[in-house]
Amino acid sequence: MAADLSFFQSETAQSLRAEGRAEGRAEDILLLLERRGVAVSGGDRERIVGCADLDVLGVWFSRAITAGSVAEVFGPAEG
């Protein structure tokens, strides 16, 4: 008897995978900043961990490689 694998292709499963990728990327950003000696406030940590947009997290990760502060990671203020 074949197993029903339809769940793994469902929107719910896709959403869970994306959430896991976002959580992993946020952890990577925080680890990178920690290893580079960049101070991260509680509010900044919450902003990073709370972000679910993989594109934004990707930009932040790239900036974290050379940023001297978390403000540089977040980039210029929009407005």
Side-chain angles (χ1 to χ4, degrees):
M1 175 186 270
D4 179 11
L5 301 177
S6 60
F7 170 79
F8 297 102
Q9 296 177 358
S10 70
E11 286 185 39
T12 301
Q14 292 175 17
S15 176
L16 290 171
R17 281 192 293 276
E19 184 179 319
R21 285 191 297 273
E23 289 174 3
R25 181 49 61 111
E27 290 173 11
D28 291 344
I29 293 168
L30 292 170
L31 178 62
L32 178 58
L33 292 170
E34 176 188 325
R35 300 291 180 165
R36 296 193 58 249
V38 176
V40 180
S41 72
D44 291 336
R45 180 177 298 279
E46 287 180 25
R47 181 176 177 187
I48 293 168
V49 171
C51 182
D53 186 325
L54 286 169
D55 292 331
V56 170
L57 290 166
V59 169
W60 289 352
F61 182 83
S62 294
R63 290 177 180 166
I65 294 170
T66 58
S69 70
V70 176
E72 291 179 33
V73 172
F74 294 143
E78 296 181 36

